[in-house]
């Protein structure tokens, strides 16, 4: 009896030890998973999709925007979290031989208009003022909910803009334009009002890279379809409809996104359009972004993925600050940083993006300058006589 | 001191101008002609390109396949027309309604100023029939027009057939954003003018037309079609309109893109397009085409229905199907597809055509010369007149006297009123006096008008004899015997320069043509020197002789030269047509020549025969 008892006790102890060890291994595994769970730091997704040009021959801009809308909706972002701004109604244009459709592929393979599209800002409502009000949240109280961007500090926002643009501006509706400085300031307002966690800005216009040159707020990643001085090209005309259907960059982005499903682990580094297909050189800007683009999933911005993991163990969550501290230590930034950064405090952005020139320390004037001034004074006194000296000294 | 206010310098300048005047004039004239001839060479001539973004770079697929239907309609139309003798209005109405259009008719009538010999009509009355295809999903604010003018014979029945077949095809499409008006007019251009006047609610030419019942909005563009057979070897496009107006170059570019797309053979002025512009052959052929366009634009006639649309700033073209002896022929389907493509592209327009040039010259279908590059040619020619006038002014000042003197030389302004009166008589009398003429002479009214014109023109040549007779009794001042004619010539030169300048601004071809012929002899005219030679030269460069010469040149360029007798007949016919068109459409060549240039030319005649 005593032997069995001791044996059973030993077995129990062994079992417990094994379980504990396994548990700890499993728990550490779960904790790793939990760390990955909070890797991105966002809890909800929004999308602001803007098409800024009107008229029938700008069919392709509406098709661009609608194809991104379609992908974003398919990957899970609901209409209540999408602000869709279309400057003209191509589907019901009298020149459309297939009314109530907007095609993105020729031979009418893909109708991106669908039958459940919800356009929030239509036609003449797409103005620079409305766009900026949507972004910054300064909206009159009578605006319906579907026209508001109700994001918070844990929102990842995708902003997609297309239309006709130039070096430093984007044309809205043939009558006004938004400059890159205004856009950068709008994003800064959003940061200060805690309206986003991370922002992905995509622009498909001619000279699109000029639009993200002036950004200075943190956590923004920007993609553009062409560099300054280049034109973005349209993809294919449809002879039955008589217009160009899509722009090249968005066409290949759409083809890429069609392969993505909500569970895919593709990251932002895969979203690349080679020059052979796009002809123009797409650009990107990631210096303001905290994470490495290869750790950023496509679905972090394009989809709204509910992360659900079922576990039976309890997990001890580590504090946020440790994660952030480790990433800071990797970058060898400010070693004095001990406390976690609060939201409203600015990152040392100036060090990140080097936009403002550093104030140099004052040095005494060098030998060359001293010699030059001595020469000037000597010449002066030689010309005008030494008698002026007594007025100086 | 300033250059002109310093008397020493001014005298030096005056001496320079006086000494070098003749060489400068010759140089300027030669430069003007040379500039014009150089217009056909690149870089003065440029390739055409589509300027309107909305009609952009994409091609639309044409689906017209109604060739058989078009031929059937044409056969029916020709049969009905032969039966009724006039436009078969009821049949047209029925057919258009069956095709699905909203059909309306309009009746018009006009009493011509004198019976027209070529078409044998005096009191013209007819009916226009037009059908409107409403845009299915757009408001009827803008429209396009496809028009077929039907004369008194059935030469345009194939075009009517094609129009009806196209209407049936267009009715089945839903992508029209503008209304399309299919217009069949009677009596060619008279019917078109009546319809346009009623559509725009104006009355410019005294036509009596019933008001239009159905309207379709502002017309953005129009295409007139003339087909004489059901197979064509080439399509000829006419752009020159009334008073030398031209449609926007984008419309021609549109036509040319569809020619290239459909592989159609398209000609301008009946001439093929030269392929090679780098060697000499291409530009030489281009020069022929350019000269033909200059002659046609200078005549100021509407060369097709489109010419009348241009007055209302509706861009329009006329397409003529030519059936020659070439092997390769295109059927109605090819022509229909080109028209369908053009209309579909015009449907994309959001504004009127305004991006491309309104004033241009065409050495070829795919080459053009813009106004900024061709204007210096006429500038150089008018500079000759300016230099000559300057020389005369300085000479008059050197003579030192003012123009007013008691009991002085015969006033230089004496021949002005009689010349102007002759011009007025030339303008008014032929039409007014035709009945009197037919009572006294055994001629038809049209002949009477033309002969009266020629008679008054020749009578003007006797003017110096009449105006100078009362003056010979005056005491002629011996101090400056030349002063009189120099002052007259100065006034005449300035008058001519003003007129030619104004004409060249609106109708460059007319201004240039008249300047080429009138400027040298006007500069040379003086009472001293070989008088008979100068007189002959002046008569040869008078406006009427210029008209005769340009007719010969025109036929020569079209490779169908005229003999003298034929040329004279054509000249008489052209005179009659000119007067008729002035009264029926408001063409301005006849009043310009009779009221403006002929009196001016008479002044030079007076200078030549100054006593």
């Amino acid at each position: 009896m005593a032997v069995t008892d001791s044996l059973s006790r030993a077995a129990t102890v062994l079992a417990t030890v094994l379980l504990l060890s396994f548990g700890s291994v499993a728990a550490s595994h779960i904790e790793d998973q939990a760390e990955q769970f909070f890797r991105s730091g966002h809890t909800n997704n929004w999308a602001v999709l803007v098409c800024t040009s009107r008229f029938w021959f700008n069919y392709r801009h509406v098709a661009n925007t609608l194809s991104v809308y379609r992908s974003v909706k398919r990957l899970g972002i609901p209409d209540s979290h999408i602000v869709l701004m279309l400057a003209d109604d191509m589907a019901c244009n009298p020149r459309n031989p297939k009314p109530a459709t907007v095609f993105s592929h020729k031979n009418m393979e893909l109708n991106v208009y669908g039958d459940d599209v919800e356009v929030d800002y239509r036609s003449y409502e797409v103005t620079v003022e409305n766009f900026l009000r949507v972004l910054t949240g300064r909206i009159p109280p009578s605006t319906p909910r579907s026209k508001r961007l109700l994001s918070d500090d844990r929102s990842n926002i995708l902003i997609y803009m297309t239309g006709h643009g130039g070096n430093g501006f984007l044309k809205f509706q043939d009558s006004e334009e938004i400059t890159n400085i205004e856009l950068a300031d709008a994003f800064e307002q959003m940061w200060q009002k805690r309206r986003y966690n991370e922002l992905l800005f995509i622009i498909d216009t001619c000279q699109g890279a000029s639009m993200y040159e002036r950004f200075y707020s943190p956590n923004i990643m920007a993609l553009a379809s062409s560099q300054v001085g280049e034109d973005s090209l349209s993809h294919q005309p449809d002879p039955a409809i008589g217009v160009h259907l899509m722009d090249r960059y968005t066409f290949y982005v759409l083809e890429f996104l069609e392969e993505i499903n909500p569970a895919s682990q593709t990251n932002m580094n895969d979203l690349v359009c080679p020059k052979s297909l796009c002809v123009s050189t797409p650009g990107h800007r990631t210096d303001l972004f905290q994470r490495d683009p290869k750790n950023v999933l496509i679905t972090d911005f394009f989809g709204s993925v509910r992360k659900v993991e079922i576990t039976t163990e309890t997990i001890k969550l580590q504090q946020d600050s440790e994660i952030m501290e480790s990433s800071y230590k990797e970058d060898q930034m400010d070693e004095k940083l001990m406390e976690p950064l609060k939201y409203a405090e600015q990152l040392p952005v100036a060090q990140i993006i080097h936009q403002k020139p550093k104030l140099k320390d004052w040095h005494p004037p060098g030998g060359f300058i001293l010699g030059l001034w001595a020469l000037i004074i000597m010449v002066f006194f030689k010309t005008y006589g030494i008698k002026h000296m007594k007025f100086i000294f | 001191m300033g250059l002109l206010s310093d008397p020493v310098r001014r005298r030096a300048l005056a001496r320079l101008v006086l000494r070098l005047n003749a060489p400068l004039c010759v140089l300027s004239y030669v430069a003007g002609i040379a500039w014009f001839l150089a217009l056909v060479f690149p870089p003065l001539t440029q390739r055409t390109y589509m300027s309107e973004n909305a009609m952009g770079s994409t091609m639309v697929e044409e689906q017209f396949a109604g060739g058989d239907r078009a031929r059937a309609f044409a056969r029916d139309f020709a049969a009905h027309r032969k039966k009724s003798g006039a436009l078969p209005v009821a049949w047209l109405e029925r057919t258009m309604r069956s095709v699905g259009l909203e059909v309306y008719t309009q009746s018009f009538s006009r009493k011509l100023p004198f019976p027209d010999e070529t078409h044998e009509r005096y009191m013209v009355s007819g009916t226009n029939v037009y059908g409107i295809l409403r845009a299915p999903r757009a408001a009827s604010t803008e429209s396009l027009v496809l028009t077929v003018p039907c004369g008194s014979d059935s030469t345009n029945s194939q075009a009517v057939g094609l129009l009806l077949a196209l209407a049936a095809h267009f009715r089945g499409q839903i992508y029209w954003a503008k209304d399309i008006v299919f217009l069949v007019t009677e009596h060619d251009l008279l019917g078109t003018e009546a319809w346009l006047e009623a559509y725009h609610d104006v009355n410019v030419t005294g036509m009596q037309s019933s008001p239009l019942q159905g309207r379709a909005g502002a017309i953005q563009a129009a295409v007139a079609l003339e087909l004489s057979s059901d197979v064509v070897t080439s399509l000829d496009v006419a752009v020159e309109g009334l008073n030398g107006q031209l449609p926007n170059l984008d419309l021609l570019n549109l036509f040319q893109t569809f020619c290239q797309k459909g592989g159609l053979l398209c000609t301008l002025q009946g001439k093929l397009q030269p392929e090679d512009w780098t060697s000499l052959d291409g530009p030489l052929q281009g020069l022929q085409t350019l000269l033909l366009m200059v002659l046609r634009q200078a005549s100021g006639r509407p060369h097709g229905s489109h010419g009348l649309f241009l007055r209302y700033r509706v861009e329009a073209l006329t397409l003529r199907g030519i059936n020659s002896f070439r092997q390769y022929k295109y059927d109605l389907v090819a022509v229909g597809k080109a028209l369908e493509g053009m209309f579909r592209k015009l449907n994309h327009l959001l504004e009127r055509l305004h991006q491309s040039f309104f004033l241009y010259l065409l050495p070829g279908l795919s080459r053009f010369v813009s106004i900024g590059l061709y204007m210096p040619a006429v500038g150089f020619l008018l500079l000759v007149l300016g230099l000559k006038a300057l020389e005369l002014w300085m000479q008059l000042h050197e003579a030192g006297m003012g123009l007013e003197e008691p009991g002085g030389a015969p006033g230089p302004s004496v021949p002005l009123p009689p010349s102007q009166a002759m011009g007025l008589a030339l303008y008014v009398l032929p039409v007014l006096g035709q009945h009197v003429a037919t009572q006294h002479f055994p001629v038809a009214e049209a002949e009477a008008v033309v002969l009266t014109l020629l008679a008054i023109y020749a009578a003007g040549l006797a003017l110096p004899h009449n105006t100078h007779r009362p003056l010979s009794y005056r005491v002629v001042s011996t101090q400056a015997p030349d002063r009189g004619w120099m002052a007259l010539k100065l006034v005449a030169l300035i008058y001519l320069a003003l007129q030619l300048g104004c004409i060249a601004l609106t109708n460059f071809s007319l201004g240039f043509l008249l300047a080429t012929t009138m400027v040298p002899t006007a500069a040379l005219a003086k009472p001293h020197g070989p008088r008979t030679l100068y007189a002959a030269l002046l008569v040869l460069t008078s406006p009427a002789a210029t008209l005769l010469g340009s007719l010969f040149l025109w036929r020569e360029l079209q490779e169908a030269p005229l003999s003298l007798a034929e040329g004279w007949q054509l000249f008489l016919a052209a005179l009659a047509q000119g007067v008729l068109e002035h009264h029926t459409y408001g063409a301005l060549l006849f009043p310009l020549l009779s009221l403006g240039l002929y009196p001016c030319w008479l002044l030079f005649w007076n200078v030549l025969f100054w006593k």
Side-chain angles (χ1 to χ4, degrees):
Chain A
M1 274 304 256
V3 178
T4 52
D5 272 340
S6 66
L7 266 178
S8 69
R9 211 173 302 125
T12 322
V13 168
L14 186 61
T16 324
V17 165
L18 278 174
L19 262 176
L20 273 174
S21 65
F22 277 138
S24 67
V25 166
S28 65
H29 181 59
I30 289 288
E31 274 170 10
D32 283 339
Q33 275 189 326
E35 248 181 77
Q36 289 212 342
F37 205 74
F38 293 108
R39 183 168 56 180
S40 64
H42 74 281
T43 58
N44 57 78
N45 285 84
W46 284 81
V48 178
L49 310 174
V50 185
C51 160
T52 59
S53 45
R54 54 174 35 245
F55 303 138
W56 175 246
F57 56 87
N58 290 323
Y59 184 100
R60 59 189 188 280
H61 297 139
V62 172
N64 289 348
T65 318
L66 284 172
S67 56
V68 177
Y69 171 79
R70 173 202 151 79
S71 308
V72 144
K73 219 163 126 165
R74 194 174 52 80
L75 292 172
I77 304 187
D79 273 314
S80 56
H81 283 232
I82 303 177
V83 177
L84 178 61
M85 306 171 86
L86 295 180
D88 202 357
D89 185 7
M90 297 308 169
C92 299
N93 194 308
R95 295 171 181 81
N96 196 345
K98 297 262 180 269
T101 59
V102 173
F103 291 105
S104 63
H105 286 61
K106 74 171 177 202
N107 300 324
M108 303 186 213
E109 286 168 14
L110 184 58
N111 172 18
V112 288
Y113 201 65
D115 52 3
D116 58 347
V117 61
E118 276 185 30
V119 184
D120 300 306
Y121 284 83
R122 323 189 153 95
S123 185
Y124 290 104
E125 292 170 357
V126 178
T127 58
V128 174
E129 181 185 343
N130 280 349
F131 174 62
L132 291 176
R133 283 186 185 279
V134 162
L135 287 184
T136 54
R138 300 177 201 283
I139 281 190
S142 57
T143 317
R145 225 179 140 80
S146 59
K147 287 185 166 175
R148 293 175 186 250
L149 177 65
L150 298 164
S151 56
D152 55 20
D153 60 324
R154 287 274 153 236
S155 307
N156 273 10
I157 309 184
L158 163 73
I159 299 185
Y160 175 84
M161 302 184 78
T162 181
H164 287 290
N167 191 356
F169 67 93
L170 171 63
K171 183 171 83 155
F172 265 70
Q173 298 241 28
D174 226 23
S175 59
E176 51 181 2
E177 64 245 4
I178 186 172
T179 57
N180 48 5
I181 300 174
E182 283 174 351
L183 197 57
D185 287 342
F187 286 164
E188 176 64 14
Q189 285 189 53
M190 285 174 82
W191 172 255
Q192 295 205 2
K193 293 175 74 160
R194 313 182 188 194
R195 280 169 71 76
Y196 70 91
N197 174 46
E198 282 169 347
L199 202 74
L200 174 63
F201 176 73
I202 307 184
I203 184 158
D204 187 350
T205 63
C206 303
Q207 310 197 47
S210 62
M211 287 307 282
Y212 60 60
E213 275 172 1
R214 301 292 191 131
F215 290 167
Y216 57 96
S217 317
N219 295 351
I220 302 183
M221 187 188 311
L223 299 171
S225 59
S226 57
Q227 301 293 333
V228 173
E230 276 184 351
D231 285 339
S232 278
L233 300 164
S234 49
H235 187 239
Q236 48 183 325
D238 183 334
I241 303 182
V243 285
H244 283 278
L245 294 181
M246 284 273 271
D247 280 326
R248 279 176 184 263
Y249 183 73
T250 313
F251 182 79
Y252 291 111
V253 167
L254 174 66
E255 283 203 340
F256 174 78
L257 287 175
E258 289 286 297
E259 318 265 314
I260 308 282
N261 55 51
S264 70
Q265 298 288 312
T266 339
N267 57 50
M268 293 300 287
N269 273 351
D270 300 330
L271 183 62
V272 146
C273 184
K275 200 174 165 75
S276 59
L277 293 174
C278 271
V279 186
S280 57
T281 320
H284 60 273
R285 184 176 177 181
T286 48
D287 56 332
L288 291 166
F289 204 71
Q290 300 269 53
R291 303 189 277 153
D292 192 347
K294 73 172 188 290
N295 292 332
V296 180
L297 298 179
I298 296 284
T299 49
D300 278 352
F301 288 104
F302 284 92
S304 179
V305 178
R306 299 271 175 268
K307 297 195 187 107
V308 177
E309 292 281 349
I310 303 179
T311 170
T312 49
E313 289 90 13
T314 51
I315 301 166
K316 185 171 184 298
L317 293 172
Q318 292 170 329
Q319 273 191 319
D320 248 353
S321 59
E322 290 182 9
I323 301 171
M324 294 185 77
E325 250 188 81
S326 57
S327 67
Y328 270 124
K329 288 218 181 77
E330 273 171 8
D331 292 336
Q332 285 166 358
M333 297 297 276
D334 212 341
E335 279 98 13
K336 291 194 272 286
L337 187 69
M338 293 309 288
E339 292 178 5
L341 280 180
K342 300 221 177 25
Y343 187 94
E345 280 164 344
Q346 292 295 326
L347 286 178
V349 175
Q351 287 169 2
I352 299 173
I353 64 174
H354 303 296
Q355 258 180 356
K356 295 197 184 75
K358 281 207 202 125
L359 287 166
K360 293 198 178 65
D361 303 88
W362 183 84
H363 300 288
F368 172 71
I369 299 177
L370 277 176
L372 187 67
W373 275 106
L375 186 66
I376 291 171
I377 291 175
M378 250 174 47
V379 168
F380 169 76
F381 285 123
K382 194 102 167 84
T383 320
Y384 294 103
I386 206 81
K387 58 183 188 287
H388 294 279
M389 280 281 273
K390 63 175 183 272
F391 296 106
I392 309 291
F393 295 111
Chain B
M1 256 203 223
L3 192 65
L4 289 178
S5 47
D6 183 5
V8 174
R9 284 201 192 140
R10 194 158 71 181
R11 241 177 285 131
L13 203 66
R15 230 174 293 135
L16 193 74
V17 169
L18 288 175
R19 221 184 25 215
L20 288 181
N21 197 294
L24 272 178
C25 285
V26 169
L27 197 66
S28 187
Y29 184 75
V30 167
I33 304 288
W35 189 284
F36 180 75
L37 291 176
L39 285 178
V40 293
F41 292 92
L44 284 177
T45 177
Q46 298 157 296
R47 240 182 212 286
T48 54
Y49 51 91
M50 187 70 85
S51 303
E52 174 68 59
N53 209 2
M55 288 203 302
S57 53
T58 56
M59 277 300 143
V60 289
E61 239 169 32
E62 301 96 1
Q63 282 145 2
F64 180 66
D68 296 327
R69 210 167 168 192
R71 269 192 289 275
F73 280 135
R75 259 198 311 272
D76 279 348
F77 177 75
H80 277 92
R81 202 218 176 97
K82 217 188 298 266
K83 207 166 61 176
S84 67
L87 198 72
V89 174
W91 179 85
L92 266 175
E93 269 188 278
R94 230 177 21 245
T95 322
M96 279 190 179
R97 208 162 275 136
S98 75
V99 155
L101 308 174
E102 280 178 33
V103 189
Y104 302 96
T105 58
Q106 182 214 12
S107 60
F108 64 95
S109 74
R110 177 84 160 104
K111 187 159 153 309
L112 295 179
F114 55 88
D116 182 13
E117 261 185 350
T118 44
H119 298 282
E120 283 163 28
R121 50 192 189 188
Y122 187 36
M123 176 79 180
V124 178
S125 61
T127 323
N128 295 329
V129 184
Y130 64 105
I132 305 182
L133 189 157
R134 299 282 179 196
R137 291 174 284 145
S140 299
T141 46
E142 292 168 349
S143 55
L144 302 167
V145 175
L146 178 62
T147 175
V148 166
C150 282
S152 46
D153 42 9
S154 316
T155 50
N156 224 0
S157 48
Q158 297 293 335
V160 174
L162 184 59
L163 176 126
L164 292 167
L166 274 174
H169 176 71
F170 284 0
R171 186 73 178 88
Q173 314 298 323
I174 57 166
Y175 46 68
W176 297 111
K178 303 181 203 290
D179 293 350
I180 306 187
V181 179
F182 296 91
L183 173 67
V184 179
T185 57
E186 195 166 4
H187 297 297
D188 297 319
L189 273 61
L190 280 172
T192 316
E193 183 63 32
W195 189 82
L196 279 170
E197 281 189 9
Y199 196 89
H200 292 96
D201 206 16
V202 292
N203 199 339
V204 207
T205 60
M207 182 93 62
Q208 284 119 23
S209 49
S210 65
L212 292 182
Q213 302 294 324
R215 223 179 159 275
I219 308 179
Q220 304 291 79
V223 177
L225 193 59
E226 291 178 22
L227 289 176
S228 48
S229 56
D230 62 341
V231 285
V232 291
T233 52
S234 60
L235 276 177
D236 191 50
V237 62
V239 288
E240 306 85 7
L242 189 63
N243 296 329
Q245 267 189 303
L246 298 169
N248 196 303
L249 193 56
D250 262 342
L251 197 56
L252 195 68
N253 297 339
L254 185 68
F255 171 66
Q256 211 241 333
T257 17
F258 280 100
C259 277
Q260 276 180 336
K261 181 167 187 255
L264 292 172
L265 185 65
C266 293
T267 61
L268 183 69
Q269 318 290 348
K271 294 220 175 281
L272 294 172
Q273 301 313 303
E275 307 293 324
D276 177 24
W277 285 85
T278 48
S279 70
L280 203 58
D281 296 324
L284 275 182
Q285 208 176 339
L287 184 62
Q288 282 185 348
T289 318
L290 185 72
L291 279 173
L292 275 170
M293 179 174 176
V294 162
L295 288 171
R296 282 172 84 156
Q297 200 185 0
S299 69
R301 305 183 64 189
H303 294 273
S305 297
H306 74 286
L308 299 171
F309 280 86
L310 291 173
R311 201 213 310 259
Y312 304 93
R313 204 63 254 166
V314 173
E315 317 303 338
L317 280 179
T318 296
L319 300 181
R320 277 193 197 99
I322 313 273
N323 194 8
S324 65
F325 293 109
R326 279 175 167 264
Q327 288 279 9
Y328 196 77
K329 298 196 191 272
Y330 306 94
D331 63 342
L332 287 176
V333 176
V335 180
K337 278 192 172 165
L339 281 169
E340 181 195 354
M342 281 178 75
F343 270 83
R344 202 151 171 209
K345 280 261 153 169
L346 286 170
N347 183 37
H348 285 190
L349 281 178
L350 294 144
E351 305 162 302
R352 307 177 91 103
L353 286 166
H354 66 283
Q355 301 277 9
S356 190
F357 297 90
F358 286 101
L359 297 159
Y360 48 89
L361 287 176
L362 297 170
L365 201 54
S366 55
R367 296 278 193 284
F368 75 101
V369 187
S370 84
I371 182 168
L373 292 172
Y374 67 59
M375 265 311 191
V378 83
F380 278 122
L381 291 181
L382 294 180
L383 186 63
V384 174
L385 294 176
L387 283 172
K388 263 280 178 269
L390 199 61
E391 182 197 17
L392 282 171
W393 177 260
M394 286 181 178
Q395 280 175 350
L396 281 173
H397 264 255
E398 265 192 11
M401 283 172 253
L403 288 175
E404 277 97 345
E405 237 193 27
S413 58
V414 165
L416 268 172
S419 307
Q420 217 49 52
M422 283 304 295
L424 199 64
L426 192 64
Y427 179 69
V428 163
L429 278 183
V431 175
L432 216 56
Q434 58 178 309
H435 298 291
V436 175
T438 46
Q439 276 171 8
H440 291 276
F441 298 99
V443 287
E445 278 95 345
E447 286 175 358
V449 168
V450 173
L451 291 173
T452 322
L453 264 176
L454 287 173
I456 300 179
Y457 197 89
L461 295 180
L463 200 57
H465 182 68
N466 293 328
T467 51
H468 284 249
R469 214 188 310 141
L471 300 170
S472 62
Y473 295 123
R474 276 168 166 257
V475 174
V476 176
S477 157
T478 50
Q479 283 180 352
D482 284 340
R483 260 191 53 232
W485 70 262
M486 281 165 78
L488 176 62
K489 188 173 172 189
L490 178 63
V491 170
L493 281 172
I494 293 176
Y495 190 27
L496 184 65
L498 267 176
Q499 278 188 10
L500 286 179
C502 294
I503 294 175
L505 282 177
T506 49
N507 188 347
F508 165 78
S509 308
L510 184 61
F512 186 77
L513 200 64
L514 288 170
T516 327
T517 49
M518 291 184 77
V519 158
T521 48
L524 280 177
K526 52 179 185 271
H528 316 299
R531 198 171 266 199
T532 37
L533 177 65
Y534 283 169
L537 276 177
L538 205 56
V539 167
L540 276 178
T541 56
S542 67
T546 308
L547 180 61
L548 184 61
S550 47
L551 278 174
F552 276 102
L553 181 64
W554 176 55
R555 288 296 288 266
E556 184 68 42
L557 285 170
Q558 281 190 325
E559 288 160 24
L562 295 165
S563 66
L564 272 175
E566 281 174 5
W568 183 253
Q569 288 299 322
L570 195 61
F571 176 62
L572 294 179
L575 284 177
Q577 280 294 312
V579 178
L580 191 62
E581 275 176 11
H582 169 63
H583 285 276
T584 49
Y585 310 130
L588 290 174
L589 186 65
F590 175 54
L592 269 175
L593 288 184
S594 59
L595 288 173
L597 282 159
Y598 177 64
C600 195
W601 180 83
L602 274 182
L603 289 177
F604 285 106
W605 187 255
N606 274 298
V607 165
L608 191 59
F609 286 98
W610 191 268
K611 276 198 249 315

